[in-house]
PDB file of all heavy atoms in Angstrom:
ATOM      1  N   ASP T  35     -26.381   5.687  33.497  1.00 82.00           N
ATOM      2  CA  ASP T  35     -27.383   4.949  34.263  1.00 82.00           C
ATOM      3  C   ASP T  35     -27.158   3.448  34.160  1.00 82.00           C
ATOM      4  O   ASP T  35     -27.295   2.722  35.148  1.00 82.00           O
ATOM      5  CB  ASP T  35     -28.792   5.289  33.783  1.00 82.00           C
ATOM      6  CG  ASP T  35     -29.236   6.676  34.213  1.00 82.00           C
ATOM      7  OD1 ASP T  35     -28.575   7.265  35.087  1.00 82.00           O
ATOM      8  OD2 ASP T  35     -30.236   7.166  33.660  1.00 82.00           O
ATOM      9  N   GLU T  36     -26.824   2.972  32.988  1.00 81.00           N
ATOM     10  CA  GLU T  36     -26.567   1.536  32.811  1.00 81.00           C
ATOM     11  C   GLU T  36     -25.339   1.106  33.596  1.00 81.00           C
ATOM     12  O   GLU T  36     -25.343   0.061  34.240  1.00 81.00           O
ATOM     13  CB  GLU T  36     -26.402   1.208  31.336  1.00 81.00           C
ATOM     14  CG  GLU T  36     -27.693   1.256  30.563  1.00 81.00           C
ATOM     15  CD  GLU T  36     -27.497   1.057  29.074  1.00 81.00           C
ATOM     16  OE1 GLU T  36     -26.354   0.859  28.626  1.00 81.00           O
ATOM     17  OE2 GLU T  36     -28.505   1.116  28.359  1.00 81.00           O
ATOM     18  N   LEU T  37     -24.302   1.927  33.575  1.00 81.00           N
ATOM     19  CA  LEU T  37     -23.094   1.596  34.327  1.00 81.00           C
ATOM     20  C   LEU T  37     -23.349   1.621  35.827  1.00 81.00           C
ATOM     21  O   LEU T  37     -22.745   0.864  36.575  1.00 81.00           O
ATOM     22  CB  LEU T  37     -21.969   2.570  33.969  1.00 81.00           C
ATOM     23  CG  LEU T  37     -21.375   2.402  32.581  1.00 81.00           C
ATOM     24  CD1 LEU T  37     -20.360   3.509  32.297  1.00 81.00           C
ATOM     25  CD2 LEU T  37     -20.719   1.042  32.430  1.00 81.00           C
ATOM     26  N   ALA T  38     -24.244   2.485  36.249  1.00 77.00           N
ATOM     27  CA  ALA T  38     -24.568   2.579  37.674  1.00 77.00           C
ATOM     28  C   ALA T  38     -25.607   1.552  38.098  1.00 77.00           C
ATOM     29  O   ALA T  38     -25.949   1.466  39.256  1.00 77.00           O
ATOM     30  CB  ALA T  38     -25.063   3.983  38.001  1.00 77.00           C
ATOM     31  N   GLY T  39     -26.117   0.779  37.147  1.00 69.00           N
ATOM     32  CA  GLY T  39     -27.105  -0.240  37.483  1.00 69.00           C
ATOM     33  C   GLY T  39     -28.518   0.275  37.555  1.00 69.00           C
ATOM     34  O   GLY T  39     -29.397  -0.380  38.082  1.00 69.00           O
ATOM     35  N   ARG T  40     -28.762   1.472  37.029  1.00 61.00           N
ATOM     36  CA  ARG T  40     -30.106   2.039  37.066  1.00 61.00           C
ATOM     37  C   ARG T  40     -30.789   1.938  35.717  1.00 61.00           C
ATOM     38  O   ARG T  40     -31.758   2.621  35.459  1.00 61.00           O
ATOM     39  CB  ARG T  40     -30.040   3.511  37.479  1.00 61.00           C
ATOM     40  CG  ARG T  40     -29.550   3.704  38.885  1.00 61.00           C
ATOM     41  CD  ARG T  40     -29.628   5.135  39.270  1.00 61.00           C
ATOM     42  NE  ARG T  40     -28.781   5.944  38.407  1.00 61.00           N
ATOM     43  CZ  ARG T  40     -28.012   6.928  38.830  1.00 61.00           C
ATOM     44  NH1 ARG T  40     -27.971   7.229  40.096  1.00 61.00           N
ATOM     45  NH2 ARG T  40     -27.281   7.630  37.993  1.00 61.00           N
ATOM     46  N   GLY T  41     -30.275   1.098  34.859  1.00 54.00           N
ATOM     47  CA  GLY T  41     -30.820   0.996  33.513  1.00 54.00           C
ATOM     48  C   GLY T  41     -32.185   0.342  33.492  1.00 54.00           C
ATOM     49  O   GLY T  41     -32.714  -0.105  34.508  1.00 54.00           O
ATOM     50  N   CYS T  42     -32.766   0.257  32.308  1.00 54.00           N
ATOM     51  CA  CYS T  42     -34.092  -0.327  32.154  1.00 54.00           C
ATOM     52  C   CYS T  42     -34.068  -1.819  32.428  1.00 54.00           C
ATOM     53  O   CYS T  42     -34.967  -2.363  33.032  1.00 54.00           O
ATOM     54  CB  CYS T  42     -34.618  -0.070  30.741  1.00 54.00           C
ATOM     55  SG  CYS T  42     -34.797   1.685  30.372  1.00 54.00           S
ATOM     56  N   GLY T  43     -33.051  -2.513  31.944  1.00 52.00           N
ATOM     57  CA  GLY T  43     -32.980  -3.957  32.116  1.00 52.00           C
ATOM     58  C   GLY T  43     -32.446  -4.331  33.477  1.00 52.00           C
ATOM     59  O   GLY T  43     -31.653  -3.626  34.067  1.00 52.00           O
ATOM     60  N   GLY T  44     -32.868  -5.478  33.978  1.00 52.00           N
ATOM     61  CA  GLY T  44     -32.396  -5.950  35.266  1.00 52.00           C
ATOM     62  C   GLY T  44     -31.045  -6.618  35.180  1.00 52.00           C
ATOM     63  O   GLY T  44     -30.444  -6.934  36.194  1.00 52.00           O
ATOM     64  N   GLU T  45     -30.544  -6.822  33.968  1.00 56.00           N
ATOM     65  CA  GLU T  45     -29.280  -7.524  33.790  1.00 56.00           C
ATOM     66  C   GLU T  45     -28.127  -6.788  34.455  1.00 56.00           C
ATOM     67  O   GLU T  45     -27.279  -7.386  35.103  1.00 56.00           O
ATOM     68  CB  GLU T  45     -28.990  -7.706  32.300  1.00 56.00           C
ATOM     69  CG  GLU T  45     -27.731  -8.492  32.016  1.00 56.00           C
ATOM     70  CD  GLU T  45     -27.517  -8.677  30.536  1.00 56.00           C
ATOM     71  OE1 GLU T  45     -28.487  -8.947  29.828  1.00 56.00           O
ATOM     72  OE2 GLU T  45     -26.363  -8.555  30.104  1.00 56.00           O
ATOM     73  N   ALA T  46     -28.070  -5.475  34.318  1.00 57.00           N
ATOM     74  CA  ALA T  46     -26.981  -4.700  34.912  1.00 57.00           C
ATOM     75  C   ALA T  46     -27.034  -4.771  36.427  1.00 57.00           C
ATOM     76  O   ALA T  46     -26.009  -4.877  37.086  1.00 57.00           O
ATOM     77  CB  ALA T  46     -27.050  -3.244  34.454  1.00 57.00           C
ATOM     78  N   VAL T  47     -28.226  -4.741  36.982  1.00 62.00           N
ATOM     79  CA  VAL T  47     -28.375  -4.815  38.434  1.00 62.00           C
ATOM     80  C   VAL T  47     -27.966  -6.194  38.923  1.00 62.00           C
ATOM     81  O   VAL T  47     -27.244  -6.320  39.909  1.00 62.00           O
ATOM     82  CB  VAL T  47     -29.835  -4.493  38.848  1.00 62.00           C
ATOM     83  CG1 VAL T  47     -30.033  -4.736  40.322  1.00 62.00           C
ATOM     84  CG2 VAL T  47     -30.167  -3.059  38.486  1.00 62.00           C
ATOM     85  N   GLU T  48     -28.407  -7.251  38.225  1.00 67.00           N
ATOM     86  CA  GLU T  48     -28.033  -8.603  38.625  1.00 67.00           C
ATOM     87  C   GLU T  48     -26.534  -8.796  38.511  1.00 67.00           C
ATOM     88  O   GLU T  48     -25.907  -9.379  39.393  1.00 67.00           O
ATOM     89  CB  GLU T  48     -28.767  -9.632  37.760  1.00 67.00           C
ATOM     90  CG  GLU T  48     -30.243  -9.718  38.047  1.00 67.00           C
ATOM     91  CD  GLU T  48     -30.963 -10.665  37.107  1.00 67.00           C
ATOM     92  OE1 GLU T  48     -30.285 -11.429  36.394  1.00 67.00           O
ATOM     93  OE2 GLU T  48     -32.188 -10.639  37.082  1.00 67.00           O
ATOM     94  N   GLY T  49     -25.940  -8.301  37.445  1.00 77.00           N
ATOM     95  CA  GLY T  49     -24.500  -8.411  37.278  1.00 77.00           C
ATOM     96  C   GLY T  49     -23.762  -7.692  38.393  1.00 77.00           C
ATOM     97  O   GLY T  49     -22.768  -8.187  38.909  1.00 77.00           O
ATOM     98  N   ARG T  50     -24.268  -6.533  38.772  1.00 81.00           N
ATOM     99  CA  ARG T  50     -23.651  -5.769  39.852  1.00 81.00           C
ATOM    100  C   ARG T  50     -23.790  -6.513  41.175  1.00 81.00           C
ATOM    101  O   ARG T  50     -22.847  -6.583  41.959  1.00 81.00           O
ATOM    102  CB  ARG T  50     -24.301  -4.390  39.944  1.00 81.00           C
ATOM    103  CG  ARG T  50     -23.588  -3.483  40.934  1.00 81.00           C
ATOM    104  CD  ARG T  50     -24.298  -2.182  41.096  1.00 81.00           C
ATOM    105  NE  ARG T  50     -25.552  -2.448  41.780  1.00 81.00           N
ATOM    106  CZ  ARG T  50     -26.619  -1.679  41.735  1.00 81.00           C
ATOM    107  NH1 ARG T  50     -26.595  -0.586  41.027  1.00 81.00           N
ATOM    108  NH2 ARG T  50     -27.708  -1.977  42.394  1.00 81.00           N
ATOM    109  N   ASP T  51     -24.970  -7.104  41.419  1.00 85.00           N
ATOM    110  CA  ASP T  51     -25.180  -7.848  42.661  1.00 85.00           C
ATOM    111  C   ASP T  51     -24.296  -9.083  42.725  1.00 85.00           C
ATOM    112  O   ASP T  51     -23.744  -9.402  43.784  1.00 85.00           O
ATOM    113  CB  ASP T  51     -26.652  -8.249  42.800  1.00 85.00           C
ATOM    114  CG  ASP T  51     -27.555  -7.048  43.063  1.00 85.00           C
ATOM    115  OD1 ASP T  51     -27.029  -5.981  43.445  1.00 85.00           O
ATOM    116  OD2 ASP T  51     -28.777  -7.186  42.872  1.00 85.00           O
ATOM    117  N   GLU T  52     -24.157  -9.771  41.598  1.00 89.00           N
ATOM    118  CA  GLU T  52     -23.277 -10.941  41.557  1.00 89.00           C
ATOM    119  C   GLU T  52     -21.835 -10.535  41.790  1.00 89.00           C
ATOM    120  O   GLU T  52     -21.100 -11.208  42.523  1.00 89.00           O
ATOM    121  CB  GLU T  52     -23.413 -11.655  40.212  1.00 89.00           C
ATOM    122  CG  GLU T  52     -24.742 -12.351  40.027  1.00 89.00           C
ATOM    123  CD  GLU T  52     -24.937 -12.856  38.605  1.00 89.00           C
ATOM    124  OE1 GLU T  52     -24.013 -12.712  37.773  1.00 89.00           O
ATOM    125  OE2 GLU T  52     -26.016 -13.403  38.330  1.00 89.00           O
ATOM    126  N   GLU T  53     -21.428  -9.440  41.186  1.00 89.00           N
ATOM    127  CA  GLU T  53     -20.066  -8.929  41.362  1.00 89.00           C
ATOM    128  C   GLU T  53     -19.835  -8.545  42.820  1.00 89.00           C
ATOM    129  O   GLU T  53     -18.790  -8.851  43.396  1.00 89.00           O
ATOM    130  CB  GLU T  53     -19.842  -7.716  40.456  1.00 89.00           C
ATOM    131  CG  GLU T  53     -18.492  -7.067  40.606  1.00 89.00           C
ATOM    132  CD  GLU T  53     -17.387  -7.806  39.902  1.00 89.00           C
ATOM    133  OE1 GLU T  53     -17.664  -8.825  39.243  1.00 89.00           O
ATOM    134  OE2 GLU T  53     -16.230  -7.376  40.009  1.00 89.00           O
ATOM    135  N   LEU T  54     -20.820  -7.908  43.441  1.00 91.00           N
ATOM    136  CA  LEU T  54     -20.709  -7.511  44.843  1.00 91.00           C
ATOM    137  C   LEU T  54     -20.576  -8.740  45.739  1.00 91.00           C
ATOM    138  O   LEU T  54     -19.731  -8.775  46.637  1.00 91.00           O
ATOM    139  CB  LEU T  54     -21.924  -6.674  45.253  1.00 91.00           C
ATOM    140  CG  LEU T  54     -21.926  -6.114  46.663  1.00 91.00           C
ATOM    141  CD1 LEU T  54     -20.714  -5.213  46.890  1.00 91.00           C
ATOM    142  CD2 LEU T  54     -23.204  -5.332  46.899  1.00 91.00           C
ATOM    143  N   ALA T  55     -21.376  -9.775  45.494  1.00 91.00           N
ATOM    144  CA  ALA T  55     -21.295 -11.007  46.282  1.00 91.00           C
ATOM    145  C   ALA T  55     -19.936 -11.675  46.099  1.00 91.00           C
ATOM    146  O   ALA T  55     -19.328 -12.152  47.069  1.00 91.00           O
ATOM    147  CB  ALA T  55     -22.413 -11.964  45.875  1.00 91.00           C
ATOM    148  N   ARG T  56     -19.442 -11.690  44.853  1.00 93.00           N
ATOM    149  CA  ARG T  56     -18.144 -12.295  44.584  1.00 93.00           C
ATOM    150  C   ARG T  56     -17.027 -11.535  45.299  1.00 93.00           C
ATOM    151  O   ARG T  56     -16.143 -12.137  45.915  1.00 93.00           O
ATOM    152  CB  ARG T  56     -17.870 -12.314  43.071  1.00 93.00           C
ATOM    153  CG  ARG T  56     -16.585 -13.051  42.692  1.00 93.00           C
ATOM    154  CD  ARG T  56     -16.289 -12.916  41.213  1.00 93.00           C
ATOM    155  NE  ARG T  56     -16.011 -11.547  40.807  1.00 93.00           N
ATOM    156  CZ  ARG T  56     -14.871 -10.898  41.032  1.00 93.00           C
ATOM    157  NH1 ARG T  56     -13.892 -11.482  41.687  1.00 93.00           N
ATOM    158  NH2 ARG T  56     -14.696  -9.666  40.606  1.00 93.00           N
ATOM    159  N   LEU T  57     -17.101 -10.204  45.265  1.00 93.00           N
ATOM    160  CA  LEU T  57     -16.074  -9.399  45.924  1.00 93.00           C
ATOM    161  C   LEU T  57     -16.117  -9.542  47.440  1.00 93.00           C
ATOM    162  O   LEU T  57     -15.076  -9.575  48.099  1.00 93.00           O
ATOM    163  CB  LEU T  57     -16.217  -7.930  45.517  1.00 93.00           C
ATOM    164  CG  LEU T  57     -15.856  -7.628  44.066  1.00 93.00           C
ATOM    165  CD1 LEU T  57     -16.208  -6.179  43.728  1.00 93.00           C
ATOM    166  CD2 LEU T  57     -14.397  -7.894  43.794  1.00 93.00           C
ATOM    167  N   ARG T  58     -17.312  -9.637  48.001  1.00 95.00           N
ATOM    168  CA  ARG T  58     -17.412  -9.842  49.452  1.00 95.00           C
ATOM    169  C   ARG T  58     -16.823 -11.182  49.866  1.00 95.00           C
ATOM    170  O   ARG T  58     -16.154 -11.287  50.896  1.00 95.00           O
ATOM    171  CB  ARG T  58     -18.866  -9.726  49.893  1.00 95.00           C
ATOM    172  CG  ARG T  58     -19.347  -8.301  49.920  1.00 95.00           C
ATOM    173  CD  ARG T  58     -20.764  -8.181  50.402  1.00 95.00           C
ATOM    174  NE  ARG T  58     -21.143  -6.779  50.518  1.00 95.00           N
ATOM    175  CZ  ARG T  58     -22.371  -6.341  50.535  1.00 95.00           C
ATOM    176  NH1 ARG T  58     -23.376  -7.198  50.437  1.00 95.00           N
ATOM    177  NH2 ARG T  58     -22.626  -5.056  50.639  1.00 95.00           N
ATOM    178  N   ALA T  59     -17.079 -12.220  49.068  1.00 95.00           N
ATOM    179  CA  ALA T  59     -16.501 -13.531  49.353  1.00 95.00           C
ATOM    180  C   ALA T  59     -14.981 -13.475  49.254  1.00 95.00           C
ATOM    181  O   ALA T  59     -14.262 -14.057  50.083  1.00 95.00           O
ATOM    182  CB  ALA T  59     -17.060 -14.574  48.393  1.00 95.00           C
TER     183      ALA T  59
END
Side-chain angles (χ1 to χ4, degrees):
D35 287 346
E36 287 175 1
L37 289 175
R40 295 185 298 222
C42 298
E45 183 178 318
V47 173
E48 289 176 13
R50 187 185 69 203
D51 290 343
E52 290 171 3
E53 177 78 2
L54 183 59
R56 185 186 65 76
L57 290 173
R58 285 182 175 159

